Amino acid sequence: MNMDVEKLKELIREDYEVISADETLSKVVPMLEKWEGRSGIIVEENGEIIGVIRERDLIRGCVMVNPHETKIKHFVIPTGILNFDEISLEKVARRFVEDSTPFVVVRLNGRYGVIYIDDFLRLLKSELSEVRAKDVMNPEVITILRNATVAKALATMRKEGVDRVVVIDENYKVVGIITGKDVVDRIFAPRKKARMGDFRGEKEKSLSISVESIMSYPVITAEKNEEISKVIDKMIENNISSVVITKDGFPEGIIIKKDILEYYLRQITPFKYTYQVVLKDVELDEFEMDRINKDLENFLNRFKEYFGEAILFVYMKRHKEFYRGLPLIYVRLKLTSDKGNFFVRGEGWGAEYALHSALRRLERAVLEHKDLQTDKKMIRRFYEDVFSDFVSI
């Protein structure tokens, strides 16, 4: 996949905002309103860029704390910076995937520029001309009934490690979608306004109301055989980050922008077997990272005779809870191979235990796919190979 790098450089823009890490969250709100649809602002400290504050981080922050007193630095997402002379499609795509930011920062001659994700996806469409929605979609759609409570929707998001769930009716047909932002905008934001003396907000709602009352609808959908370029167009034209794949109204999958970028990276990677680890608020020393790398390599090597090609995406996020000094870690694994795609999640106290929990689920999914789940000897040997160095906590 070759593309003129000059076209990529033409995407670099300088219409962005910068804010000091010592400013308060309340100062960001009018800036995001000014740059409607951009959903992120660069944050600097002592003249150096330290990351980005995204719209969803701002929402979370304003709900949790007093936005007039809390500094932005507590909600900054660290991001890498690419040098102008070294940018490529692959490097930009990896920054988007690994940083989960709405734009990639590029270091220019004495200043900075940004590449917005929608502009990048437009450029990427020609590289994905033969790709269909079914090639990219995640078939594991997290759903909730329309008469379920908002509290249940939030609990589902937390359990599944997602920021949105598809709303269905009693016949399992898609009727809406609810995101964390919907909950904040329609429930928490009015409460926050009232407490701070602004009574213009709508009447206070409770988390016990139904998701149907605050969900977004109609849902932007696509069919699984639809060209991914058309799916990208739908995302950009409707200013949304996900499209639900349906058939006769029933959910078959979901695609977010990150899925498209991950698919592209899988196509250009020179490795038959590889993995990528993305950490969110998880700090690992060199010894811990070596052990995790070893576990992942062992897993992929265990199935190298089965998969012709495979790439394993690993996402690890730290929750607030601690037990005996160890944080609760959420892990999401996405294994893409020539034999199919596998998606699993797991949680545990400490990074290694959480990863092992998720790997065990992934192993079961692969074995079921191979119709070898009754082969107890192979399963026992697999555990011995992969988890021989694991010490129970």
Side-chain angles (χ1 to χ4, degrees), residues 44-100:
E44 67 174 10
E45 187 173 40
N46 299 323
E48 297 292 331
I49 292 178
I50 63 171
V52 173
I53 184 165
R54 304 169 300 188
E55 184 180 38
R56 63 175 183 258
D57 302 311
L58 174 65
I59 292 168
R60 176 170 58 92
C62 289
V63 169
M64 294 170 54
V65 299
N66 185 337
H68 294 294
E69 297 179 356
T70 305
K71 292 184 177 181
I72 291 171
K73 66 174 63 177
H74 300 297
F75 292 91
V76 170
I77 301 300
T79 180
I81 301 177
L82 298 178
N83 292 321
F84 177 78
D85 294 332
E86 299 175 353
I87 65 170
S88 66
L89 278 179
E90 178 180 356
K91 289 181 179 179
V92 173
R94 290 192 186 282
R95 285 268 62 83
F96 277 124
V97 169
E98 294 178 10
D99 296 344
S100 295

CSV table of all heavy atoms in Angstrom, one decimal, residues 44-100:
chain,number,residue,atom,x,y,z
A,44,GLU,N,-0.4,22.1,27.1
A,44,GLU,CA,1.1,22.3,27.3
A,44,GLU,C,1.4,22.7,28.7
A,44,GLU,O,0.6,23.2,29.5
A,44,GLU,CB,1.6,23.4,26.3
A,44,GLU,CG,1.1,24.8,26.6
A,44,GLU,CD,1.7,25.9,25.7
A,44,GLU,OE1,2.4,25.5,24.8
A,44,GLU,OE2,1.6,27.1,26.0
A,45,GLU,N,2.6,22.4,29.1
A,45,GLU,CA,3.1,22.8,30.4
A,45,GLU,C,4.6,23.2,30.3
A,45,GLU,O,5.4,22.6,29.7
A,45,GLU,CB,3.0,21.6,31.4
A,45,GLU,CG,3.4,21.9,32.8
A,45,GLU,CD,3.1,20.7,33.7
A,45,GLU,OE1,3.4,19.6,33.3
A,45,GLU,OE2,2.6,21.0,34.8
A,46,ASN,N,4.8,24.4,30.8
A,46,ASN,CA,6.2,25.0,30.7
A,46,ASN,C,6.7,25.1,29.2
A,46,ASN,O,7.8,24.8,28.9
A,46,ASN,CB,7.2,24.2,31.5
A,46,ASN,CG,6.8,24.2,33.0
A,46,ASN,OD1,6.4,25.2,33.5
A,46,ASN,ND2,7.1,23.1,33.6
A,47,GLY,N,5.7,25.4,28.3
A,47,GLY,CA,6.1,25.6,26.9
A,47,GLY,C,6.2,24.3,26.1
A,47,GLY,O,6.4,24.3,24.9
A,48,GLU,N,6.0,23.1,26.8
A,48,GLU,CA,6.1,21.8,26.1
A,48,GLU,C,4.7,21.2,26.0
A,48,GLU,O,3.9,21.2,27.0
A,48,GLU,CB,7.1,20.9,26.8
A,48,GLU,CG,8.5,21.4,26.8
A,48,GLU,CD,9.1,21.4,25.5
A,48,GLU,OE1,8.7,20.6,24.6
A,48,GLU,OE2,10.0,22.3,25.2
A,49,ILE,N,4.4,20.5,24.9
A,49,ILE,CA,3.2,19.8,24.8
A,49,ILE,C,3.3,18.5,25.6
A,49,ILE,O,4.2,17.7,25.4
A,49,ILE,CB,2.9,19.5,23.3
A,49,ILE,CG1,2.6,20.7,22.5
A,49,ILE,CG2,1.7,18.5,23.2
A,49,ILE,CD1,2.3,20.5,21.0
A,50,ILE,N,2.3,18.3,26.5
A,50,ILE,CA,2.3,17.1,27.3
A,50,ILE,C,1.2,16.2,26.9
A,50,ILE,O,1.1,15.0,27.5
A,50,ILE,CB,2.2,17.5,28.8
A,50,ILE,CG1,0.9,18.2,29.1
A,50,ILE,CG2,3.4,18.3,29.2
A,50,ILE,CD1,0.7,18.4,30.6
A,51,GLY,N,0.2,16.6,26.1
A,51,GLY,CA,-0.8,15.7,25.7
A,51,GLY,C,-2.0,16.4,25.2
A,51,GLY,O,-2.0,17.6,24.8
A,52,VAL,N,-3.2,15.8,25.3
A,52,VAL,CA,-4.4,16.3,24.8
A,52,VAL,C,-5.5,16.1,25.8
A,52,VAL,O,-5.5,15.1,26.6
A,52,VAL,CB,-4.8,15.5,23.5
A,52,VAL,CG1,-6.2,15.9,23.0
A,52,VAL,CG2,-3.8,15.7,22.4
A,53,ILE,N,-6.4,17.0,25.9
A,53,ILE,CA,-7.7,16.8,26.7
A,53,ILE,C,-8.8,16.6,25.7
A,53,ILE,O,-9.0,17.5,24.8
A,53,ILE,CB,-7.9,17.9,27.7
A,53,ILE,CG1,-9.2,17.5,28.5
A,53,ILE,CG2,-8.1,19.3,27.0
A,53,ILE,CD1,-9.4,18.4,29.8
A,54,ARG,N,-9.4,15.5,25.8
A,54,ARG,CA,-10.5,15.1,24.9
A,54,ARG,C,-11.9,15.5,25.5
A,54,ARG,O,-12.0,15.7,26.7
A,54,ARG,CB,-10.5,13.6,24.6
A,54,ARG,CG,-9.2,13.1,24.0
A,54,ARG,CD,-9.1,11.6,24.0
A,54,ARG,NE,-9.3,11.1,25.3
A,54,ARG,CZ,-9.1,9.8,25.6
A,54,ARG,NH1,-8.8,8.9,24.6
A,54,ARG,NH2,-9.3,9.3,26.8
A,55,GLU,N,-12.9,15.6,24.6
A,55,GLU,CA,-14.2,16.0,25.0
A,55,GLU,C,-14.7,15.0,26.1
A,55,GLU,O,-15.3,15.4,27.1
A,55,GLU,CB,-15.1,16.0,23.8
A,55,GLU,CG,-16.5,16.5,24.2
A,55,GLU,CD,-17.4,16.5,23.0
A,55,GLU,OE1,-17.4,15.6,22.2
A,55,GLU,OE2,-18.3,17.5,22.9
A,56,ARG,N,-14.5,13.7,25.9
A,56,ARG,CA,-15.0,12.7,26.8
A,56,ARG,C,-14.3,12.8,28.2
A,56,ARG,O,-14.9,12.5,29.2
A,56,ARG,CB,-14.9,11.3,26.2
A,56,ARG,CG,-13.6,10.8,25.9
A,56,ARG,CD,-13.8,9.3,25.4
A,56,ARG,NE,-12.5,8.6,25.1
A,56,ARG,CZ,-12.1,8.4,23.9
A,56,ARG,NH1,-12.7,8.9,22.9
A,56,ARG,NH2,-11.0,7.8,23.7
A,57,ASP,N,-13.0,13.2,28.2
A,57,ASP,CA,-12.3,13.4,29.4
A,57,ASP,C,-12.8,14.6,30.2
A,57,ASP,O,-13.0,14.6,31.4
A,57,ASP,CB,-10.8,13.5,29.2
A,57,ASP,CG,-10.2,12.4,28.5
A,57,ASP,OD1,-10.5,11.2,28.9
A,57,ASP,OD2,-9.5,12.6,27.5
A,58,LEU,N,-13.2,15.6,29.4
A,58,LEU,CA,-13.7,16.8,30.0
A,58,LEU,C,-15.1,16.5,30.6
A,58,LEU,O,-15.4,16.9,31.8
A,58,LEU,CB,-13.9,17.9,28.9
A,58,LEU,CG,-14.6,19.2,29.4
A,58,LEU,CD1,-13.8,19.9,30.4
A,58,LEU,CD2,-14.9,20.1,28.2
A,59,ILE,N,-15.9,15.7,29.9
A,59,ILE,CA,-17.2,15.3,30.5
A,59,ILE,C,-17.0,14.6,31.8
A,59,ILE,O,-17.7,14.8,32.8
A,59,ILE,CB,-18.0,14.5,29.4
A,59,ILE,CG1,-18.3,15.3,28.2
A,59,ILE,CG2,-19.2,13.9,30.0
A,59,ILE,CD1,-18.8,14.5,27.0
A,60,ARG,N,-16.1,13.6,31.7
A,60,ARG,CA,-15.9,12.8,32.9
A,60,ARG,C,-15.4,13.6,34.1
A,60,ARG,O,-15.9,13.5,35.2
A,60,ARG,CB,-14.9,11.7,32.6
A,60,ARG,CG,-14.5,10.8,33.8
A,60,ARG,CD,-13.7,9.7,33.3
A,60,ARG,NE,-12.5,10.1,32.6
A,60,ARG,CZ,-11.3,10.3,33.2
A,60,ARG,NH1,-11.2,10.1,34.4
A,60,ARG,NH2,-10.3,10.6,32.4
A,61,GLY,N,-14.5,14.6,33.8
A,61,GLY,CA,-14.0,15.4,34.8
A,61,GLY,C,-15.0,16.4,35.4
A,61,GLY,O,-15.1,16.5,36.7
A,62,CYS,N,-15.9,16.9,34.6
A,62,CYS,CA,-16.9,17.9,35.1
A,62,CYS,C,-17.9,17.2,36.0
A,62,CYS,O,-18.6,17.8,36.8
A,62,CYS,CB,-17.6,18.6,34.0
A,62,CYS,SG,-16.5,19.8,33.1
A,63,VAL,N,-18.1,15.9,35.7
A,63,VAL,CA,-19.1,15.1,36.6
A,63,VAL,C,-18.4,14.8,37.9
A,63,VAL,O,-19.1,14.8,38.9
A,63,VAL,CB,-19.5,13.8,35.8
A,63,VAL,CG1,-20.3,12.9,36.8
A,63,VAL,CG2,-20.4,14.2,34.6
A,64,MET,N,-17.2,14.4,37.9
A,64,MET,CA,-16.5,13.9,39.1
A,64,MET,C,-16.1,15.0,40.0
A,64,MET,O,-16.0,14.8,41.3
A,64,MET,CB,-15.3,13.1,38.7
A,64,MET,CG,-15.6,11.8,37.9
A,64,MET,SD,-14.1,11.0,37.2
A,64,MET,CE,-13.1,10.9,38.7
A,65,VAL,N,-15.7,16.2,39.5
A,65,VAL,CA,-15.1,17.2,40.4
A,65,VAL,C,-15.7,18.5,40.1
A,65,VAL,O,-16.5,18.7,39.2
A,65,VAL,CB,-13.6,17.3,40.2
A,65,VAL,CG1,-12.9,15.9,40.5
A,65,VAL,CG2,-13.3,17.6,38.7
A,66,ASN,N,-15.3,19.5,40.9
A,66,ASN,CA,-15.7,20.9,40.6
A,66,ASN,C,-14.9,21.4,39.4
A,66,ASN,O,-13.6,21.6,39.6
A,66,ASN,CB,-15.5,21.8,41.8
A,66,ASN,CG,-16.0,23.2,41.6
A,66,ASN,OD1,-16.1,23.7,40.5
A,66,ASN,ND2,-16.3,23.9,42.7
A,67,PRO,N,-15.5,21.7,38.3
A,67,PRO,CA,-14.7,22.1,37.1
A,67,PRO,C,-14.0,23.5,37.3
A,67,PRO,O,-13.1,23.8,36.5
A,67,PRO,CB,-15.7,22.1,36.0
A,67,PRO,CG,-17.0,22.3,36.7
A,67,PRO,CD,-16.9,21.6,38.0
A,68,HIS,N,-14.5,24.3,38.2
A,68,HIS,CA,-13.9,25.6,38.4
A,68,HIS,C,-12.7,25.6,39.3
A,68,HIS,O,-11.9,26.6,39.4
A,68,HIS,CB,-14.9,26.5,39.1
A,68,HIS,CG,-16.1,26.8,38.2
A,68,HIS,ND1,-16.0,27.6,37.0
A,68,HIS,CD2,-17.4,26.5,38.3
A,68,HIS,CE1,-17.2,27.7,36.5
A,68,HIS,NE2,-18.1,27.0,37.2
A,69,GLU,N,-12.4,24.4,39.9
A,69,GLU,CA,-11.2,24.3,40.8
A,69,GLU,C,-10.2,23.3,40.3
A,69,GLU,O,-9.0,23.4,40.7
A,69,GLU,CB,-11.7,23.9,42.2
A,69,GLU,CG,-12.6,25.0,42.9
A,69,GLU,CD,-13.1,24.6,44.2
A,69,GLU,OE1,-12.8,23.4,44.6
A,69,GLU,OE2,-13.7,25.4,44.9
A,70,THR,N,-10.6,22.3,39.6
A,70,THR,CA,-9.7,21.2,39.2
A,70,THR,C,-9.0,21.6,37.9
A,70,THR,O,-9.5,22.0,36.9
A,70,THR,CB,-10.6,19.9,38.9
A,70,THR,OG1,-11.4,19.6,40.0
A,70,THR,CG2,-9.6,18.7,38.6
A,71,LYS,N,-7.6,21.3,38.0
A,71,LYS,CA,-6.8,21.7,36.9
A,71,LYS,C,-6.8,20.6,35.8
A,71,LYS,O,-7.1,19.4,36.0
A,71,LYS,CB,-5.3,21.8,37.4
A,71,LYS,CG,-5.1,23.0,38.3
A,71,LYS,CD,-3.7,23.2,38.7
A,71,LYS,CE,-3.5,24.5,39.5
A,71,LYS,NZ,-2.1,24.7,39.9
A,72,ILE,N,-6.6,21.1,34.6
A,72,ILE,CA,-6.7,20.2,33.4
A,72,ILE,C,-5.6,19.1,33.4
A,72,ILE,O,-5.9,18.0,32.9
A,72,ILE,CB,-6.4,21.1,32.1
A,72,ILE,CG1,-7.6,22.0,31.9
A,72,ILE,CG2,-6.2,20.2,30.9
A,72,ILE,CD1,-7.4,23.1,30.9
A,73,LYS,N,-4.5,19.3,34.1
A,73,LYS,CA,-3.4,18.4,34.0
A,73,LYS,C,-3.8,17.0,34.6
A,73,LYS,O,-3.2,16.0,34.2
A,73,LYS,CB,-2.2,18.9,34.8
A,73,LYS,CG,-2.5,19.0,36.3
A,73,LYS,CD,-1.2,19.4,37.1
A,73,LYS,CE,-0.7,20.8,36.6
A,73,LYS,NZ,0.5,21.2,37.4
A,74,HIS,N,-4.9,17.0,35.4
A,74,HIS,CA,-5.3,15.7,36.0
A,74,HIS,C,-6.1,14.8,35.0
A,74,HIS,O,-6.4,13.7,35.3
A,74,HIS,CB,-6.1,16.0,37.2
A,74,HIS,CG,-5.4,16.7,38.3
A,74,HIS,ND1,-4.3,16.2,39.0
A,74,HIS,CD2,-5.6,17.9,38.9
A,74,HIS,CE1,-3.9,17.1,39.9
A,74,HIS,NE2,-4.7,18.1,39.8
A,75,PHE,N,-6.4,15.4,33.9
A,75,PHE,CA,-7.2,14.6,32.9
A,75,PHE,C,-6.6,14.6,31.5
A,75,PHE,O,-7.2,14.2,30.5
A,75,PHE,CB,-8.6,15.3,32.8
A,75,PHE,CG,-9.5,15.1,34.0
A,75,PHE,CD1,-9.4,16.0,35.0
A,75,PHE,CD2,-10.2,13.9,34.2
A,75,PHE,CE1,-10.2,15.8,36.2
A,75,PHE,CE2,-11.0,13.7,35.3
A,75,PHE,CZ,-11.0,14.7,36.3
A,76,VAL,N,-5.3,15.0,31.4
A,76,VAL,CA,-4.6,15.0,30.2
A,76,VAL,C,-4.3,13.6,29.7
A,76,VAL,O,-3.9,12.7,30.5
A,76,VAL,CB,-3.3,15.8,30.3
A,76,VAL,CG1,-2.4,15.6,29.1
A,76,VAL,CG2,-3.6,17.3,30.5
A,77,ILE,N,-4.4,13.3,28.4
A,77,ILE,CA,-4.0,12.1,27.8
A,77,ILE,C,-2.7,12.3,27.1
A,77,ILE,O,-2.6,13.0,26.1
A,77,ILE,CB,-5.1,11.6,26.8
A,77,ILE,CG1,-6.5,11.4,27.4
A,77,ILE,CG2,-4.7,10.3,26.1
A,77,ILE,CD1,-6.5,10.4,28.5
A,78,PRO,N,-1.6,11.6,27.6
A,78,PRO,CA,-0.3,11.8,26.9
A,78,PRO,C,-0.4,11.3,25.5
A,78,PRO,O,-1.1,10.4,25.1
A,78,PRO,CB,0.6,10.9,27.7
A,78,PRO,CG,-0.1,10.7,29.1
A,78,PRO,CD,-1.6,10.7,28.7
A,79,THR,N,0.3,12.0,24.6
A,79,THR,CA,0.3,11.7,23.2
A,79,THR,C,1.7,11.8,22.6
A,79,THR,O,2.5,12.7,23.0
A,79,THR,CB,-0.7,12.5,22.4
A,79,THR,OG1,-0.6,12.1,21.0
A,79,THR,CG2,-0.3,14.0,22.5
A,80,GLY,N,2.0,11.0,21.7
A,80,GLY,CA,3.3,11.1,21.0
A,80,GLY,C,3.3,12.2,20.0
A,80,GLY,O,2.2,12.6,19.5
A,81,ILE,N,4.4,12.7,19.6
A,81,ILE,CA,4.5,13.8,18.6
A,81,ILE,C,5.4,13.3,17.4
A,81,ILE,O,6.5,12.8,17.6
A,81,ILE,CB,5.2,15.1,19.2
A,81,ILE,CG1,4.3,15.5,20.4
A,81,ILE,CG2,5.3,16.2,18.1
A,81,ILE,CD1,4.9,16.7,21.1
A,82,LEU,N,4.9,13.4,16.2
A,82,LEU,CA,5.6,13.0,15.0
A,82,LEU,C,6.4,14.1,14.4
A,82,LEU,O,5.9,15.3,14.4
A,82,LEU,CB,4.7,12.4,14.0
A,82,LEU,CG,3.9,11.1,14.4
A,82,LEU,CD1,2.9,10.7,13.3
A,82,LEU,CD2,4.8,10.0,14.7
A,83,ASN,N,7.6,13.9,13.9
A,83,ASN,CA,8.4,14.9,13.2
A,83,ASN,C,7.9,15.0,11.7
A,83,ASN,O,7.5,13.9,11.1
A,83,ASN,CB,9.8,14.5,13.2
A,83,ASN,CG,10.4,14.6,14.6
A,83,ASN,OD1,10.1,15.5,15.4
A,83,ASN,ND2,11.3,13.7,14.9
A,84,PHE,N,7.8,16.2,11.2
A,84,PHE,CA,7.3,16.4,9.9
A,84,PHE,C,8.0,15.6,8.8
A,84,PHE,O,7.3,15.0,8.0
A,84,PHE,CB,7.4,17.9,9.6
A,84,PHE,CG,6.9,18.3,8.2
A,84,PHE,CD1,5.6,18.4,7.9
A,84,PHE,CD2,7.9,18.5,7.2
A,84,PHE,CE1,5.2,18.7,6.6
A,84,PHE,CE2,7.4,18.8,5.9
A,84,PHE,CZ,6.1,18.9,5.6
A,85,ASP,N,9.3,15.5,8.9
A,85,ASP,CA,10.0,14.8,7.9
A,85,ASP,C,9.9,13.3,8.0
A,85,ASP,O,10.4,12.6,7.1
A,85,ASP,CB,11.5,15.2,7.9
A,85,ASP,CG,11.7,16.7,7.6
A,85,ASP,OD1,10.9,17.2,6.8
A,85,ASP,OD2,12.7,17.3,8.1
A,86,GLU,N,9.3,12.8,9.0
A,86,GLU,CA,9.3,11.3,9.3
A,86,GLU,C,7.9,10.8,9.2
A,86,GLU,O,7.7,9.5,9.4
A,86,GLU,CB,9.9,11.0,10.6
A,86,GLU,CG,11.4,11.4,10.7
A,86,GLU,CD,11.9,11.2,12.1
A,86,GLU,OE1,11.2,10.8,13.0
A,86,GLU,OE2,13.2,11.3,12.3
A,87,ILE,N,6.9,11.6,8.9
A,87,ILE,CA,5.5,11.1,9.0
A,87,ILE,C,5.2,10.1,7.8
A,87,ILE,O,5.8,10.3,6.7
A,87,ILE,CB,4.5,12.2,9.0
A,87,ILE,CG1,4.5,13.0,7.7
A,87,ILE,CG2,4.6,13.1,10.2
A,87,ILE,CD1,3.3,14.0,7.6
A,88,SER,N,4.4,9.2,8.1
A,88,SER,CA,3.9,8.2,7.1
A,88,SER,C,2.5,7.8,7.5
A,88,SER,O,2.1,8.0,8.6
A,88,SER,CB,4.9,7.0,7.0
A,88,SER,OG,4.8,6.2,8.2
A,89,LEU,N,1.9,7.1,6.5
A,89,LEU,CA,0.5,6.6,6.8
A,89,LEU,C,0.5,5.7,8.0
A,89,LEU,O,-0.3,5.8,8.9
A,89,LEU,CB,0.0,5.9,5.6
A,89,LEU,CG,-0.7,6.7,4.5
A,89,LEU,CD1,-1.2,5.8,3.4
A,89,LEU,CD2,-1.8,7.6,5.1
A,90,GLU,N,1.5,4.8,8.1
A,90,GLU,CA,1.6,3.8,9.2
A,90,GLU,C,1.8,4.5,10.5
A,90,GLU,O,1.2,4.2,11.5
A,90,GLU,CB,2.7,2.8,8.9
A,90,GLU,CG,2.9,1.8,10.0
A,90,GLU,CD,4.0,0.8,9.8
A,90,GLU,OE1,4.6,0.8,8.7
A,90,GLU,OE2,4.3,0.0,10.7
A,91,LYS,N,2.8,5.5,10.5
A,91,LYS,CA,3.1,6.1,11.8
A,91,LYS,C,1.9,6.9,12.3
A,91,LYS,O,1.6,7.0,13.5
A,91,LYS,CB,4.3,7.0,11.7
A,91,LYS,CG,5.6,6.2,11.5
A,91,LYS,CD,6.8,7.2,11.4
A,91,LYS,CE,8.1,6.4,11.2
A,91,LYS,NZ,9.3,7.3,11.1
A,92,VAL,N,1.2,7.6,11.4
A,92,VAL,CA,0.0,8.4,11.8
A,92,VAL,C,-1.1,7.5,12.3
A,92,VAL,O,-1.7,7.7,13.4
A,92,VAL,CB,-0.5,9.3,10.7
A,92,VAL,CG1,-1.8,10.0,11.1
A,92,VAL,CG2,0.6,10.3,10.3
A,93,ALA,N,-1.3,6.4,11.6
A,93,ALA,CA,-2.4,5.4,12.0
A,93,ALA,C,-2.0,4.8,13.4
A,93,ALA,O,-2.9,4.7,14.3
A,93,ALA,CB,-2.5,4.3,11.0
A,94,ARG,N,-0.8,4.5,13.6
A,94,ARG,CA,-0.4,3.9,14.9
A,94,ARG,C,-0.6,4.9,16.1
A,94,ARG,O,-1.0,4.6,17.2
A,94,ARG,CB,1.1,3.5,14.9
A,94,ARG,CG,1.3,2.2,14.0
A,94,ARG,CD,2.6,1.6,14.2
A,94,ARG,NE,2.8,0.5,13.3
A,94,ARG,CZ,2.2,-0.7,13.4
A,94,ARG,NH1,1.5,-1.0,14.4
A,94,ARG,NH2,2.5,-1.6,12.5
A,95,ARG,N,-0.3,6.2,15.8
A,95,ARG,CA,-0.5,7.2,16.8
A,95,ARG,C,-2.0,7.3,17.2
A,95,ARG,O,-2.4,7.4,18.4
A,95,ARG,CB,0.0,8.6,16.4
A,95,ARG,CG,1.5,8.7,16.4
A,95,ARG,CD,2.0,9.3,17.8
A,95,ARG,NE,1.7,8.5,18.9
A,95,ARG,CZ,2.4,7.4,19.3
A,95,ARG,NH1,3.5,7.1,18.6
A,95,ARG,NH2,2.1,6.7,20.4
A,96,PHE,N,-2.9,7.3,16.2
A,96,PHE,CA,-4.3,7.3,16.4
A,96,PHE,C,-4.7,6.2,17.3
A,96,PHE,O,-5.5,6.3,18.2
A,96,PHE,CB,-5.1,7.4,15.1
A,96,PHE,CG,-5.2,8.7,14.5
A,96,PHE,CD1,-4.8,9.0,13.2
A,96,PHE,CD2,-5.8,9.8,15.2
A,96,PHE,CE1,-5.0,10.2,12.7
A,96,PHE,CE2,-6.0,11.0,14.7
A,96,PHE,CZ,-5.5,11.3,13.4
A,97,VAL,N,-4.3,5.0,16.9
A,97,VAL,CA,-4.7,3.7,17.6
A,97,VAL,C,-4.1,3.7,19.0
A,97,VAL,O,-4.8,3.4,20.0
A,97,VAL,CB,-4.2,2.5,16.8
A,97,VAL,CG1,-4.4,1.2,17.7
A,97,VAL,CG2,-5.0,2.4,15.5
A,98,GLU,N,-2.8,4.0,19.2
A,98,GLU,CA,-2.2,3.9,20.5
A,98,GLU,C,-2.6,5.0,21.5
A,98,GLU,O,-2.7,4.8,22.7
A,98,GLU,CB,-0.7,3.9,20.4
A,98,GLU,CG,-0.2,2.6,19.6
A,98,GLU,CD,1.3,2.6,19.4
A,98,GLU,OE1,2.0,3.4,20.0
A,98,GLU,OE2,1.7,1.7,18.7
A,99,ASP,N,-2.8,6.3,20.9
A,99,ASP,CA,-3.2,7.4,21.8
A,99,ASP,C,-4.7,7.6,22.0
A,99,ASP,O,-5.1,8.2,23.0
A,99,ASP,CB,-2.5,8.7,21.3
A,99,ASP,CG,-1.0,8.6,21.2
A,99,ASP,OD1,-0.5,7.8,21.9
A,99,ASP,OD2,-0.4,9.5,20.6
A,100,SER,N,-5.5,7.1,21.1
A,100,SER,CA,-6.9,7.3,21.1
A,100,SER,C,-7.3,8.8,21.2
A,100,SER,O,-8.1,9.2,22.0
A,100,SER,CB,-7.5,6.5,22.3
A,100,SER,OG,-7.4,5.1,22.1
